Amino acid sequence: MSGAADRAERLRQGAAALGLALDEAAQTRLLAYLDLLAKWNRVYNLTALRDPAQMLTHHLLDSLAVVAPLSRHTQGRPARLLDVGSGGGLPGVVIAICCPEIAVTCVDAVAKKAAFVQQAAGALSLDNLAGRHARVETLHEPFDIIASRAFASLADFISWSRGALAEQGVWLAMKGKRPDDEIAALPAGAEVFHVEPLQVPGLDAERCLVWLRPTGST
């Protein structure tokens, strides 16, 4: 099996293990995105990982693990999602590929990272994806879901992005081990309503999703 065919098969098997039925177009876009990430990474240092096999597991499959829980939350309804500290577009680009009904904005304080996401949106023909160079504290347009992956403590994530959360919106933080210390240190006005364990295919490490909402939301 060629390298490209092997990658495609690993992606297909990994997606299936996560309960995702990706069509051929989505799989092709995901692998094309990985190629773009590797290409730009040689110049712009978007991620510390260089090995293609590791990038597929640690970036692509790790980000794909959020898609099924997110889809259960939105139930296929249109939504606006802000990916905070997105870096090279993880998980935002992956969400945009797999969930065309979700309009994804990836925000990063580093201009070259936001530029890469904007380039990826054009190269992959993703009309529902945008890269934004800004600090999240400066954003005040309403997003239904504000997500992060290995970005900051829960307290900082909530505090910095609160101004961009829509009424009835939720926060979604991708974490490793269940962050009980961070949960205990949450600021007033925010609460955890669900911690969801994740199992990433091929990754021998704990992962979870922490769902949060403003206090008093239902």
Side-chain angles (χ1 to χ4, degrees):
M1 188 179 289
S2 69
D6 181 58
R7 280 199 321 162
E9 180 60 17
R10 287 183 59 217
L11 173 60
R12 189 192 65 76
Q13 290 181 358
L18 290 166
L20 301 175
L22 298 179
D23 62 27
E24 192 170 333
Q27 293 181 56
T28 299
R29 274 182 165 145
L30 287 167
L31 292 172
Y33 163 62
L34 208 58
D35 288 339
L36 275 176
L37 187 63
K39 178 182 175 182
W40 276 59
N41 202 39
R42 288 193 285 271
V43 179
Y44 291 104
N45 194 31
L46 299 171
T47 169
L49 291 182
R50 294 289 189 271
D51 178 64
Q54 274 197 321
M55 290 176 76
L56 193 146
T57 302
H58 290 65
H59 286 335
L60 217 53
L61 295 181
D62 192 50
S63 294
L64 278 170
V66 76
V67 171
L70 186 59
S71 296
R72 285 196 297 271
H73 175 75
T74 62
Q75 297 184 332
R77 294 188 298 267
R80 299 188 70 208
L81 182 143
L82 180 67
D83 179 14
V84 178
S86 183
L90 298 157
V93 175
V94 173
I95 292 170
I97 290 170
C98 298
C99 306
E101 74 281 2
I102 298 179
V104 178
T105 298
C106 294
V107 63
D108 203 282
V110 179
K112 64 187 178 186
K113 294 180 178 178
F116 167 71
V117 171
Q118 198 59 43
Q119 170 72 17
L124 302 173
S125 300
L126 292 169
D127 295 338
N128 61 327
L129 175 67
R132 182 87 64 88
H133 173 220
R135 299 189 67 84
V136 65
E137 305 96 302
T138 66
L139 302 184
H140 298 286
E141 60 208 84
F143 289 90
D144 306 297
I145 303 146
I146 301 182
S148 70
R149 175 179 180 262
F151 168 63
S153 70
L154 290 176
D156 286 344
F157 172 47
I158 296 300
S159 297
W160 295 340
S161 64
R162 188 185 295 272
L165 190 70
E167 192 174 345
Q168 304 298 320
V170 299
W171 288 283
L172 177 58
M174 301 180 71
K175 292 286 186 178
K177 291 183 177 181
R178 180 186 169 103
D180 289 317
D181 290 349
E182 292 184 27
I183 291 171
L186 278 173
E191 63 182 7
V192 172
F193 66 91
H194 185 38
V195 179
E196 187 168 353
L198 297 177
Q199 185 62 52
V200 179
L203 192 61
D204 185 21
E206 288 187 58
R207 290 284 189 270
C208 70
L209 291 179
V210 183
W211 294 86
L212 307 101
R213 63 191 170 203
T215 305
S217 297
T218 54

